[in-house]
Amino acid sequence: SRCGGGRLAVVILHLELDEAIEHLLVPGEANGPFRCTYKPRSGGEYRISVKFGGHHVNGSPFNVNVKWSSDPYMVMVNTTGLQHAVVGAEAVLEVNLTQVGDGNLCVELVHSEGALAPVVLSPDENTGRKYCYRKYYRFVPSLAGRYRVNVTFTGVDVPGSPFAVDVEPWDELAVIRATGPGLQAEGTQLGGTCRFRISNMN
């Protein structure tokens, strides 16, 4: 309710992004309470400051933890590390859980003949943001041919799942890659330094 001639102010701040969140402050009728509404755009820690006459009201600032929704359709999978897979060489699947909350993530690789490929989950690699993390699944295929990669979250296929991966037979030259801007068909300038690198993918 209204009291005195002070000004009521509300500030909602996403601490991780250091970003103010829009809100709507509506005064009540007949000296009724003010009502404030806001819609978080991302998960994380929020700090809500409620001030009257330039001073925090009792309990302010308030700390609010907003959790991401456990939506499997927000899971992003990067299969770049599975391209050019070769028998006996490690391949990596990256799963980005930046915009999802708690839930069971399951990754399964199945050969076309029905054999399951052992998968090793690397330790969580956090990007430095509390609610932004990725998971890396590594496997070394023992059979050539096509694999089906099933990725589910909370029991539901994520976008694109199942993925198809073709594994080539072992070839000593197949695991050697030459990459870099110095190998581009266009864009190399006369007089400039051109670079590329040759690496063993095994």
Side-chain angles (χ1 to χ4, degrees):
S1 62
R2 299 175 180 81
C3 55
R7 180 176 179 272
L8 182 65
V10 174
V11 175
I12 303 176
L13 182 68
H14 190 296
L15 296 180
E16 193 174 359
L17 302 178
D18 192 25
E19 177 181 89
I21 306 302
E22 294 182 358
H23 62 278
L24 178 65
L25 185 62
V26 179
E29 298 180 359
N31 264 2
F34 282 78
R35 298 183 184 277
C36 182
T37 58
Y38 67 98
K39 186 175 182 179
R41 296 196 300 270
S42 60
E45 297 286 344
Y46 287 76
R47 178 168 295 165
I48 303 177
S49 298
V50 181
K51 293 184 178 181
F52 184 79
H55 300 284
H56 284 285
V57 302
N58 186 35
S60 177
F62 304 89
N63 293 321
V64 178
N65 178 21
V66 176
K67 293 185 177 181
W68 291 103
S69 64
S70 297
D71 185 353
Y73 299 104
M74 299 301 290
V75 177
M76 294 177 286
V77 178
N78 183 355
T79 60
T80 302
L82 299 181
Q83 296 176 5
H84 311 295
V86 178
V87 169
E90 183 181 79
V92 181
L93 176 75
E94 177 188 338
V95 182
N96 189 331
L97 301 173
T98 301
Q99 301 185 54
V100 296
D102 297 333
N104 183 37
L105 177 66
C106 180
V107 175
E108 183 183 62
L109 285 91
V110 185
H111 190 267
S112 58
E113 295 181 356
L116 285 173
V119 180
V120 177
L121 172 62
S122 296
D124 287 351
E125 299 188 28
N126 200 299
T127 62
R129 295 174 58 181
K130 186 175 181 180
Y131 295 95
C132 175
Y133 60 97
R134 293 171 170 82
K135 292 185 180 292
Y136 297 87
Y137 291 84
R138 306 175 187 275
F139 84 109
V140 178
S142 59
L143 297 173
R146 172 155 292 193
Y147 285 77
R148 185 179 72 252
V149 184
N150 302 317
V151 182
T152 60
F153 188 74
T154 62
V156 179
D157 280 319
V158 305
S161 178
F163 303 90
V165 175
D166 292 317
V167 176
E168 299 295 330
W170 168 258
D171 183 344
E172 184 176 1
L173 296 179
V175 295
I176 298 177
R177 297 285 186 268
T179 58
L183 300 177
Q184 293 178 354
E186 299 181 2
T188 303
Q189 297 183 353
L190 181 65
T193 300
C194 303
R195 295 184 176 87
F196 66 93
R197 70 178 188 173
I198 304 171
S199 57
N200 188 334
M201 302 300 290
N202 189 9

